[in-house]
C-alpha cells in the first residue's frame, strides 16, 4: 500500500522524485515506530506517541546546544501520514480517518535577509577573469533577477533561456509553469559565461575543476551552488548565512519595496498560495512605516 501510494504521488499527483523520497522516509519512520504491518495497526494512540517521540528528537544545533526538532519538521511527518491515510480511505481500505490528525501550530516564518550593500558586495565577489568566476557571476545575477528556486536554477538548460527576449518560462513546484524576467546585468553575465564555454553540454551551468573530467553528468548540482554561495558570502564579509533562498527572499522584498503588488510577486515567485507570499509584507509594509 505504501508503494502504491508513493507511485500515485509521482504519477498522478505529479510530485517530484525528491518529494516522493521524503514522503517515503517520513512514512517508514512512523511505520517502524508504530510497528505497523497493516492499515488497522495505525491507531490514534500510535500517532499521539509518535508526536511525543518527534517532539523529543534532536533538531538543529545552535551554538553549543542542540535544539529539539522544529514543529514545522514534525508536521512534515504528519502531512505525509495524513496523505497516505487519505489515499487508503479513497481506495476503500479500512483505517483511521485522516481528519483525526491535527497539525501542530507553527510560529510564523522569519525571513533571512541581507542588506542592499551586502547583496551588492556578494554580486561583485566572483573573479570574472576565470570561467568559474563568469559562471558564478551569472548564477548570482540570475538568482537575484528571477527569484528562482535552487532546483529550478540547476535544472535549466541553455535552450530554456531566450536571451533575445529577456524572459523565459520555468517549470516550478507541482509542474507549474511561470514566466521570469532577466535584468540587463543578468543577461550580460549569462552572455559572457556562454561565450567563454568550450564544452557542448546542454546544461546552463556546468561544473569545473578536477571532478569535471570524471565522465559523469556535467550539470552543476544544488549542493555545489550552496557551497559557492557560502564561499562568496565569506569573501564579501557577510557573516550571516547566505543561501539561494536568501537571495530569493531579497528578490521578493526588493520588488515590494519598489512598489510591486503582492499578487504580481506571488506570480513571479510561483507560490500556489498568497499566504506564502504574505510573509514578505511584514518586512516591506510601506503604509505602516508612513503611519508610524
Amino acid at each position: 500500500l505504501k508503494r502504491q501510494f508513493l507511485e500515485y504521488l509521482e504519477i498522478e499527483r505529479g510530485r517530484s522524485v525528491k518529494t516522493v523520497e521524503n514522503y517515503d522516509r517520513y512514512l517508514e519512520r512512523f511505520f517502524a515506530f508504530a510497528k505497523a504491518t497493516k492499515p488497522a495497526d495505525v491507531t490514534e494512540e500510535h500517532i499521539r506517541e509518535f508526536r511525543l517521540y518527534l517532539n523529543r528528537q534532536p533538531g538543529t544545533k545552535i551554538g553549543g546546544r542542540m535544539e529539539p526538532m522544529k514543529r514545522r519538521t514534525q508536521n512534515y511527518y504528519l502531512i505525509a501520514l495524513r496523505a497516505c491515510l487519505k489515499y487508503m480511505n479513497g481506495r476503500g481500505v479500512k483505517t483511521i480517518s485522516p481528519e483525526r490528525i491535527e497539525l501542530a501550530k507553527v510560529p510564523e516564518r522569519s525571513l533571512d535577509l541581507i542588506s542592499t550593500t551586502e547583496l551588492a558586495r556578494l554580486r561583485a565577489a566572483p573573479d570574472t577573469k576565470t570561467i568559474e568566476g563568469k559562471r558564478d557571476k551569472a548564477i548570482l545575477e540570475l538568482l537575484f533577477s528571477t527569484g528562482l528556486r535552487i532546483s529550478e536554477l540547476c535544472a535549466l538548460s541553455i535552450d530554456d533561456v531566450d536571451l533575445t527576449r529577456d524572459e523565459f518560462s520555468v517549470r516550478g513546484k507541482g509542474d507549474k509553469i511561470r514566466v521570469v524576467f532577466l535584468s540587463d546585468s543578468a543577461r550580460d553575465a549569462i552572455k559572457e559565461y556562454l561565450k567563454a564555454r568550450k564544452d557542448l553540454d546542454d546544461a546552463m551551468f556546468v561544473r569545473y575543476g578536477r571532478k569535471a573530467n570524471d565522465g559523469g553528468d556535467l550539470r552543476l548540482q544544488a549542493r555545489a551552488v550552496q557551497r559557492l554561495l557560502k564561499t562568496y558570502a565569506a569573501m564579501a564579509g557577510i557573516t550571516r548565512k547566505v543561501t539561494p533562498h536568501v537571495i530569493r527572499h531579497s528578490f521578493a522584498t526588493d520588488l515590494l519595496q519598489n512598489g510591486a503588488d503582492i499578487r504580481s510577486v506571488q506570480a513571479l515567485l510561483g507560490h500556489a498560495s498568497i499566504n506564502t507570499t504574505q510573509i514578505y509584507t511584514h518586512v516591506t509594509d510601506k503604509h505602516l512605516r508612513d503611519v508610524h
Side-chain angles (χ1 to χ4, degrees), residues 60-76:
T60 47
K61 195 171 185 179
I62 298 178
R65 72 179 197 283
M66 186 66 82
E67 291 281 303
M69 185 187 280
K70 287 181 181 170
R71 289 282 177 89
R72 196 178 295 278
T73 311
Q74 293 177 37
N75 279 348
Y76 291 149

Side-chain angles (χ1 to χ4, degrees), residues 1-9 18-39 42 46-47 50 53-54 73-88 95-96 98 101:
L1 277 167
K2 187 194 76 170
R3 197 195 73 241
Q4 287 172 0
F5 165 65
L6 295 174
E7 287 170 355
Y8 158 80
L9 276 184
K18 190 72 188 163
T19 301
V20 174
E21 280 174 10
N22 288 340
Y23 270 51
D24 187 15
R25 196 174 73 251
Y26 299 144
L27 290 171
E28 204 51 60
R29 192 166 181 181
F30 172 74
F31 293 149
F33 175 85
K35 297 183 175 62
T37 55
K38 55 186 188 291
V42 180
H46 281 142
I47 293 166
F50 184 62
Y53 160 76
L54 289 179
T73 311
Q74 293 177 37
N75 279 348
Y76 291 149
Y77 286 88
L78 301 173
I79 289 165
L81 181 59
R82 200 162 67 173
C84 187
L85 291 173
K86 190 176 176 185
Y87 169 81
M88 289 187 202
T95 182
I96 183 176
I101 301 176

Side-chain angles (χ1 to χ4, degrees), residues 40-174:
D41 291 344
V42 180
T43 64
E44 275 194 68
E45 186 66 16
H46 281 142
I47 293 166
R48 193 176 59 80
E49 287 171 1
F50 184 62
R51 295 182 79 149
L52 276 171
Y53 160 76
L54 289 179
N55 206 42
R56 291 165 186 173
Q57 293 307 297
T60 47
K61 195 171 185 179
I62 298 178
R65 72 179 197 283
M66 186 66 82
E67 291 281 303
M69 185 187 280
K70 287 181 181 170
R71 289 282 177 89
R72 196 178 295 278
T73 311
Q74 293 177 37
N75 279 348
Y76 291 149
Y77 286 88
L78 301 173
I79 289 165
L81 181 59
R82 200 162 67 173
C84 187
L85 291 173
K86 190 176 176 185
Y87 169 81
M88 289 187 202
N89 275 195
R91 297 296 179 279
V93 177
K94 193 161 176 56
T95 182
I96 183 176
S97 167
E99 276 73 44
R100 303 297 283 273
I101 301 176
E102 280 188 42
L103 300 184
K105 187 172 171 58
V106 294
E108 277 195 358
R109 278 175 62 190
S110 59
L111 283 183
D112 297 317
L113 290 171
I114 55 176
S115 68
T116 314
T117 51
E118 285 174 330
L119 186 66
R121 291 206 305 271
L122 181 70
R123 288 163 66 189
D127 176 12
T128 51
K129 293 186 183 71
T130 66
I131 183 74
E132 289 101 323
K134 284 182 167 66
R135 177 199 66 190
D136 299 346
K137 172 79 171 167
I139 286 172
L140 288 170
E141 292 293 347
L142 187 61
L143 283 173
F144 184 62
S145 170
T146 59
L148 286 176
R149 296 178 179 95
I150 188 168
S151 55
E152 296 164 349
L153 177 97
C154 294
L156 282 179
S157 294
I158 294 171
D159 294 341
D160 294 337
V161 183
D162 186 353
L163 293 173
T164 59
R165 293 182 61 220
D166 294 347
E167 63 180 68
F168 61 94
S169 298
V170 62
R171 191 177 291 275
K173 271 187 181 176

Side-chain angles (χ1 to χ4, degrees), residues 36 170 173 202 205 225 235 273 288:
V170 62
K173 271 187 181 176
D202 72 330
F205 298 110
V225 178
M235 285 167 63
S273 165
L288 282 184

Side-chain angles (χ1 to χ4, degrees), residues 166-274:
D166 294 347
E167 63 180 68
F168 61 94
S169 298
V170 62
R171 191 177 291 275
K173 271 187 181 176
D175 259 3
K176 290 194 290 289
I177 293 175
R178 71 180 190 280
V179 175
V180 293
F181 301 89
L182 287 174
S183 63
D184 292 346
S185 53
R187 185 191 62 235
D188 294 344
I190 292 169
K191 274 184 178 171
E192 282 298 307
Y193 165 56
L194 292 178
K195 201 160 68 180
R197 286 231 337 228
K198 300 285 187 285
D199 62 89
L200 299 172
D201 202 274
D202 72 330
M204 172 60 83
F205 298 110
V206 294
R207 55 203 175 99
Y208 297 104
R210 287 178 293 114
K211 292 184 179 176
N213 301 315
D214 61 6
D217 184 15
L218 277 184
R219 187 177 289 276
L220 197 65
Q221 298 302 310
R223 187 67 68 204
V225 178
Q226 287 165 341
R227 274 199 301 268
L228 68 88
L229 248 69
K230 195 175 177 182
T231 305
Y232 287 124
M235 285 167 63
I238 304 168
T239 51
R240 69 191 89 193
K241 192 178 177 186
V242 178
T243 64
H245 225 74
V246 168
I247 298 181
R248 184 169 153 88
H249 290 328
S250 302
F251 163 76
T253 48
D254 189 63
L255 282 169
L256 286 163
Q257 279 167 348
N258 285 292
D261 64 278
I262 190 90
R263 287 282 175 194
S264 301
V265 176
Q266 179 193 2
L268 288 167
L269 288 170
H271 285 158
S273 165
I274 193 83

